[in-house]
Amino acid sequence: MAVARLRHAAAALGRTVRDRIPVARRTPPLHVLVEQAARVGYGARGFVYLSAGALTLLAALDRIGDAVGTGGAAGWLAEQPFGRVWLVALGLGLWAFVGWRVLQAVFDADHPGTDAKGWATRAGQAASGLFYGLLAAGVFEYLDEAGGATSQAADQAESIAENQEKAAMVLDLPFGDLLLMSAGLVVLGVGIGNIVRAFRDDFDAALACPDGLRRPASILARIGYGARGFAYLPLGVFVVLAGLHTRSGEVTNTAAALETLESQPGGSWILGLTAVGLMAFGAFAFVEARWRRIRPPRDLKLG
């Protein structure tokens, strides 16, 4: 297979470099570098969700104006002292996570296999890589605005306008309404999938952590995945309705979709609990950054 040949070629290239270049012999083996990059990536993911959850909780408590999504965490970071430095670090960390997702999806890192379940797992990892790639690209877009006069409200308005523009382009295509409805159903499916994972997955099986930490880490993961799944549901509904009504103006983003919860009876409580759950997901990502079993593709384990 082409993927196997590519994997063997990468391994052979790594061995050649280490054999012929003295400096390369003093660098860690490729599989160690991959593991380190993956851990940095999990840490970056943790920061995004922990920050987004904290800011959303402040919004639910009326301490700040609006809830924020994952992109809003980068906007908040851009406004801090040394914002450009932090944005570069976060963006590189997210790209490291994207690279790990590529290795998982394409090169069978973590070794889920090639049966139906394995391919389903790898497809989910590929979709996750795409999401974090878009998020990482968005982080670097903030570099042009760091230290400027933009606000969270302006950033959110721009994000919604971009999403509505994309939705309008989809609606202009043949069967565009069905395509947009399908996209909404995919978002709903991702949300439901996360909620199902919260109940069914054995999260501590992938952790090489002290026994006393396994149960608390598993609880964090279940709360976090459930909350993240729930956060996707309002956005998916809006996208489906936009396709059903053929009105791109009904499309919004995750943060604005969450804000609609706050206007419902008990909405502040729902938004607050969702925010706490997102923070739990971020905290679990930090646990993964430290203790997750990182298994690079077998052929990359160079001596």
Side-chain angles (χ1 to χ4, degrees), residues 159-173 175-181 183-184 235 238-253:
S159 173
I160 294 173
E162 289 178 357
N163 288 347
Q164 290 176 349
E165 182 180 353
K166 294 172 184 176
M169 293 173 61
V170 172
L171 288 174
D172 287 338
L173 298 173
F175 306 105
D177 54 342
L178 296 179
L179 291 174
L180 195 57
M181 290 174 62
L235 177 61
F238 279 118
V239 176
V240 169
L241 291 176
L244 185 64
H245 300 152
T246 62
R247 289 198 296 264
S248 61
E250 295 188 21
V251 173
T252 183
N253 63 6

Side-chain angles (χ1 to χ4, degrees), residues 105-267:
V106 179
F107 296 101
D108 196 25
D110 271 352
H111 319 312
T114 55
D115 58 8
K117 183 179 180 180
W119 280 116
T121 298
R122 293 165 70 177
Q125 291 163 343
S128 174
L130 176 61
F131 169 78
Y132 285 104
L134 294 173
L135 183 59
V139 168
F140 281 106
E141 287 182 8
Y142 278 105
L143 284 172
D144 295 331
E145 304 167 5
T150 58
S151 65
Q152 289 285 342
D155 291 336
Q156 179 157 306
E158 181 180 354
S159 173
I160 294 173
E162 289 178 357
N163 288 347
Q164 290 176 349
E165 182 180 353
K166 294 172 184 176
M169 293 173 61
V170 172
L171 288 174
D172 287 338
L173 298 173
F175 306 105
D177 54 342
L178 296 179
L179 291 174
L180 195 57
M181 290 174 62
S182 298
L185 291 174
V186 169
V187 175
L188 287 172
V190 171
I192 294 171
N194 274 265
I195 294 172
V196 170
R197 288 193 65 184
F199 289 96
R200 296 185 59 180
D201 278 22
D202 183 11
F203 294 101
D204 61 357
L207 299 176
C209 62
D211 290 339
L213 187 61
R214 289 181 180 276
R215 181 172 174 79
S218 181
I219 292 173
L220 278 178
R222 295 188 191 284
I223 294 172
Y225 272 93
R228 190 173 76 148
F230 179 77
Y232 278 114
L233 300 183
L235 177 61
V237 170
F238 279 118
V239 176
V240 169
L241 291 176
L244 185 64
H245 300 152
T246 62
R247 289 198 296 264
S248 61
E250 295 188 21
V251 173
T252 183
N253 63 6
T254 305
L258 285 175
E259 285 176 25
T260 62
L261 296 176
E262 198 170 11
S263 62
Q264 308 303 314

Side-chain angles (χ1 to χ4, degrees), residues 38-51:
R39 296 195 185 283
V40 169
Y42 280 108
R45 180 168 78 160
F47 174 83
V48 167
Y49 278 95
L50 194 61
S51 302

